[in-house]
Amino acid sequence: MLSNTFKAIACALSLSIAGLVQAEPITIKFSHVVADNTPKGQGALLFKKLAEERLPGKVTVEVYPNSSLFGDGKEMEALLIGDVHMLAPSLAKFEHYAKPIQIFDLPFLFDDLAAADRFQSSPQGKALLTSMEDKNITGLAYWHNGTKQMSANKPLREPKDARGLKFRVQASQVLEEQFKAVRANPRKMSFAEVYQGLQTGVVNGTENTWSNYESQKVHEVQKYITESDHGLIDYMVITNTQFWRGLPGDIRSELEKIMAEVTVEVNRQADELNQKAKRAIAESGKTEIIELTPEQRAEWREAMRPVWTKFEGEIGADLIQAAEAANQR
């Protein structure tokens, strides 16, 4: 009888402890390297807001902007070992995990963001999100930042104007080859170091979106920005596969719905934020914005297009064709 009483007490304690464990909210650390007022920054904050509103007491989201938790060079390692649970790296960061994702770095591939949307929503685009799960990385969504512009301390109107310049690039072989194609010198550098690198002359040119230029004050240390719209800076929101699959099914399902909703809003805001940043840069008077003629843009495209051929074997000819087809409305 006494034994049964002890068993009952033990069972009650066990259930009580289990209840306490279940009551403990799941903490999701979301780290990124840009400012809160960029499309990525706004997306992370909206994800936090909706997750905590719709899963009260079950999920807490901690957002770490501006490389405050992990910088460019450390965030992927942190995700893989579970020190952070969500990132939104530039698509250029995935070449070591899935070569086909390099397609998003090919210069002048997409005519505009609408074409990129069509490709990312296609079966081929969606398949890229799950292409790294064998490496413990699950893609949840594509987020736009915007199209890239080129900047330098000299006017860039024709490909020959880039010769000999030192351009900061992300750690991407495609982006290195992009600038080598116009006889420029690419230099890998983390995002947080760009302003100082340009200020000190370690590099004298770069590429980025309007919102990233404005939020990091890059236009203060670059005399010219050429509106080239030559590529994308998009992000893939990713999570640790093991962590994601380990979440309770109802919580994971709700977070997936929230992510889809946030993605629509992020992509809606991206163009608005970039156009606002462009106006702010123009009004600052600190840099001159150069608009390319259609003929000049075509010349840049022709000069950089051999990069497509160079990486066709790694990316896949069929995938490149599918991306080109997305330009057809």
Side-chain angles (χ1 to χ4, degrees):
M1 186 73 176
L2 192 60
S3 176
N4 288 337
T5 302
F6 282 142
K7 286 180 180 179
I9 293 171
C11 182
L13 285 171
S14 177
L15 290 171
S16 177
I17 291 169
L20 288 171
V21 170
Q22 290 171 5
E24 190 72 23
I26 296 164
T27 298
I28 299 175
K29 294 183 179 180
F30 193 150
S31 174
H32 63 83
V33 301
V34 297
D36 281 335
N37 63 340
T38 61
K40 185 195 297 189
Q42 290 293 295
L45 292 174
L46 182 57
F47 179 78
K48 170 183 171 64
K49 177 177 182 291
L50 296 182
E52 293 179 353
E53 284 179 356
R54 297 180 189 175
L55 294 165
K58 295 182 178 180
V59 170
T60 299
V61 180
E62 299 175 358
V63 177
Y64 298 89
N66 282 320
S67 303
S68 57
L69 188 61
F70 296 104
D72 260 351
K74 298 291 185 182
E75 63 176 13
M76 289 297 291
E77 179 185 349
L79 181 87
L80 292 173
I81 64 176
D83 284 349
V84 67
H85 308 102
M86 273 192 184
L87 303 174
S90 169
L91 293 170
K93 295 294 180 64
F94 297 107
E95 68 177 25
H96 300 300
Y97 302 95
K99 294 292 186 183
I101 296 178
Q102 293 178 114
I103 192 167
F104 294 110
D105 284 342
L106 295 179
F108 297 100
L109 178 60
F110 297 109
D111 289 345
D112 49 34
L113 281 176
D117 269 332
R118 287 191 288 273
F119 175 70
Q120 290 171 351
S121 299
S122 72
Q124 295 94 331
K126 289 179 179 177
L128 292 174
L129 291 172
T130 57
S131 63
M132 299 176 287
E133 291 192 335
D134 62 329
K135 298 178 176 67
N136 203 27
I137 299 169
T138 293
L140 301 175
Y142 295 107
W143 284 2
H144 290 328
N145 183 321
T147 51
K148 292 187 290 188
Q149 324 304 331
M150 288 182 283
S151 71
N153 283 328
K154 61 176 287 190
L156 299 174
R157 293 187 173 89
E158 301 174 358
K160 66 181 181 181
D161 297 329
R163 290 179 188 172
L165 294 181
K166 295 174 289 185
F167 279 89
R168 176 266 173 174
V169 296
Q170 298 181 72
S172 160
Q173 290 183 346
V174 175
L175 298 183
E176 286 188 65
E177 293 300 325
Q178 167 188 283
F179 283 112
K180 287 179 181 178
V182 293
R183 300 184 186 180
N185 300 309
R187 297 283 186 271
K188 294 179 183 177
M189 182 179 290
S190 71
F191 184 72
E193 298 172 331
V194 172
Y195 182 93
Q196 185 176 5
L198 291 166
Q199 188 178 42
T200 59
V202 173
V203 289
N204 43 35
T206 188
E207 59 172 2
N208 224 312
T209 61
W210 295 112
S211 62
N212 280 355
Y213 276 129
E214 198 269 336
S215 68
Q216 299 297 316
K217 303 187 185 302
V218 171
H219 61 289
E220 295 182 357
V221 289
Q222 292 279 262
K223 294 179 181 178
Y224 302 93
I225 298 177
T226 296
E227 191 169 14
S228 51
D229 292 322
H230 63 280
L232 297 175
I233 291 192
D234 267 12
Y235 309 111
M236 185 186 290
V237 184
I238 60 172
T239 185
N240 179 297
T241 302
Q242 186 177 358
F243 166 77
W244 194 248
R245 290 178 179 173
L247 293 175
D250 58 332
I251 290 178
R252 184 173 61 249
S253 177
E254 185 62 29
L255 290 174
E256 287 170 349
K257 292 176 185 176
I258 291 168
M259 180 59 66
E261 185 175 333
V262 170
T263 297
V264 171
E265 180 63 15
V266 168
N267 291 348
R268 185 193 70 78
Q269 288 185 15
D271 184 62
E272 178 183 332
L273 287 170
N274 277 294
Q275 292 307 314
K276 181 179 178 182
K278 179 185 174 183
R279 289 193 297 271
I281 289 171
E283 291 167 3
S284 75
K286 294 180 179 180
T287 190
E288 178 184 337
I289 296 175
I290 297 170
E291 295 183 9
L292 297 177
T293 66
E295 294 76 18
Q296 287 172 330
R297 191 172 188 276
E299 188 178 352
W300 279 97
R301 188 174 191 266
E302 188 65 23
M304 290 184 172
R305 184 161 178 156
V307 178
W308 299 15
T309 304
K310 187 175 183 69
F311 288 91
E312 184 178 88
E314 295 183 0
I315 293 170
D318 291 349
L319 198 60
I320 294 174
Q321 288 170 9
E324 281 193 275
N327 288 321
Q328 308 301 317
R329 295 182 183 278

